[in-house]
Amino acid sequence: MPLFSQTQGSPQSPALVFLHGFLGNHQDWCETIKQLKESFYCISIDLPGHGDSASVTIPIDKGFETTHRLIKNALDDLQIKEYILIGYSLGGRIALDYARTQRDENLKALILESCHTGYQTQDEKDQRFADDLNWAKRFATQSIIQSLNQWYEQDIFSDLSCEQKNNLINKRSRNYGVCLANMLLATSVAQQSDATPFLQNNATQANPLAIHYCFGEKDNKFKTLGRALTKLKNIHLTEFSEAGHNIHRQSPVQYARFIQQHFSQ
């Protein structure tokens, strides 16, 4: 079954492909795309287990590989040639691993928002998979509201007010827990290959892939991870003031201006 995608703007304009985060869907990008669709052809994709792709399931042992193939099929169906791939959190990890494995000449740039680059040790991977397995069990066996309440109590969302958390819980409650559990395990950071060798090699290429890494001022975890990438060439870091983990939701206009600034023709 193919992934759902929504397109906005003219197919003659430069293409932007958006991948949402865990629990999200293509509508998460609507405020940013509203600012961009006059200048870009915007394609927002629902990842497996999410939104209108909720019924798309992927094997846990080949989650990234299968998701990459589904994304490539979606782009081929839309006859997308050159494009910029933009991913937030889970979507950013999938976008990064897509670039690492596909080596698609039509991919002209990556914009990675608050995303992990992969663990380097097996101990880290084992601990993360144990944590994700615990979350997957919650999503698969509890009510979606109960699981979401627990999910948004994590430190990474500490910048959100109670009202903001409640709004997110209400918005995300349309998800199906079992579908989320499957995707969580199939695309766990524990299953993700460390992208450091790819990023190091990219910096040495004659025509390196342009990579932008974005993080919010209030997101201490990914601010630290992002700043650790400064030693790698050709990775452009951007810190968004007053933003937390989800920049494009909290600052959609500022995020759109960032894209226009770097990629408008």
Side-chain angles (χ1 to χ4, degrees):
M1 183 177 293
L3 296 177
F4 173 85
S5 63
Q6 181 182 73
T7 62
Q8 297 183 65
S10 170
Q12 308 309 315
S13 299
L16 304 175
V17 180
F18 295 87
L19 303 179
H20 60 78
F22 184 64
L23 301 173
N25 59 53
H26 68 281
Q27 295 179 358
D28 291 0
W29 301 101
C30 65
E31 292 301 317
T32 294
I33 289 176
K34 188 184 297 183
Q35 310 294 322
L36 296 168
K37 63 184 180 180
E38 297 303 319
S39 303
F40 296 92
Y41 186 42
C42 301
I43 303 103
S44 45
I45 295 175
D46 278 352
L47 294 171
H50 293 75
D52 291 320
S53 299
S55 58
V56 179
T57 58
I58 57 176
I60 290 177
D61 60 338
K62 294 184 178 180
F64 283 92
E65 176 185 339
T66 305
T67 303
H68 296 162
R69 185 175 68 251
L70 290 169
I71 291 171
K72 184 66 165 59
N73 290 345
L75 298 182
D76 287 346
D77 288 344
L78 292 168
Q79 299 183 326
I80 302 299
K81 301 303 180 184
E82 295 183 355
Y83 62 98
I84 296 162
L85 191 54
I86 303 167
Y88 158 65
S89 196
L90 167 63
R93 295 194 293 105
I94 290 172
L96 176 57
D97 203 62
Y98 182 95
R100 183 185 70 85
T101 58
Q102 300 299 303
R103 307 298 171 94
D104 186 352
E105 293 182 356
N106 290 322
L107 175 59
K108 297 305 177 182
L110 275 180
I111 299 178
L112 306 173
E113 177 188 345
S114 310
C115 90
H116 208 294
T117 55
Y119 290 120
Q120 297 183 351
T121 70
Q122 191 59 47
D123 285 346
E124 290 174 309
K125 291 183 177 184
D126 290 344
Q127 181 58 58
R128 179 54 182 259
F129 195 78
D131 292 342
D132 284 345
L133 183 60
N134 183 45
W135 278 113
K137 289 177 179 177
R138 295 184 187 186
F139 277 108
T141 60
Q142 298 179 159
S143 71
I144 188 67
I145 294 295
Q146 184 178 2
S147 297
L148 291 172
N149 272 294
Q150 295 167 346
W151 182 263
Y152 286 110
E153 286 305 310
Q154 296 181 93
D155 289 343
I156 200 169
F157 303 113
S158 61
D159 66 295
L160 300 178
S161 67
C162 289
E163 181 181 1
Q164 289 172 321
K165 289 181 181 179
N166 287 334
N167 288 338
L168 276 173
I169 289 167
N170 181 61
K171 185 176 181 180
R172 304 311 192 198
S173 63
R174 298 173 181 84
N175 282 298
Y176 298 96
V178 172
C179 300
L180 295 174
N182 180 81
M183 187 62 173
L184 181 61
L185 293 179
T187 54
S188 167
V189 183
Q191 306 267 37
Q192 178 183 345
S193 295
D194 174 26
T196 304
F198 161 71
L199 296 172
Q200 292 172 333
N201 182 63
N202 179 64
T204 66
Q205 300 301 303
N207 295 300
L209 179 68
I211 301 174
H212 292 261
Y213 190 95
C214 306
F215 55 89
E217 177 188 9
K218 298 180 180 179
D219 186 354
N220 292 325
K221 176 178 178 179
F222 286 91
K223 180 190 296 188
T224 300
L225 195 155
R227 289 177 174 173
L229 298 175
T230 55
K231 61 181 179 294
L232 299 175
K233 296 180 180 179
N234 206 54
I235 296 183
H236 311 282
L237 301 183
T238 300
E239 178 176 328
F240 285 76
S241 61
E242 299 299 317
H245 186 59
N246 191 331
I247 303 165
H248 69 272
R249 181 182 59 81
Q250 296 172 333
S251 306
V253 175
Q254 185 184 5
Y255 197 76
R257 287 175 180 166
F258 163 79
I259 294 172
Q260 290 170 325
Q261 176 186 348
H262 288 90
F263 298 107
S264 289
Q265 292 184 338

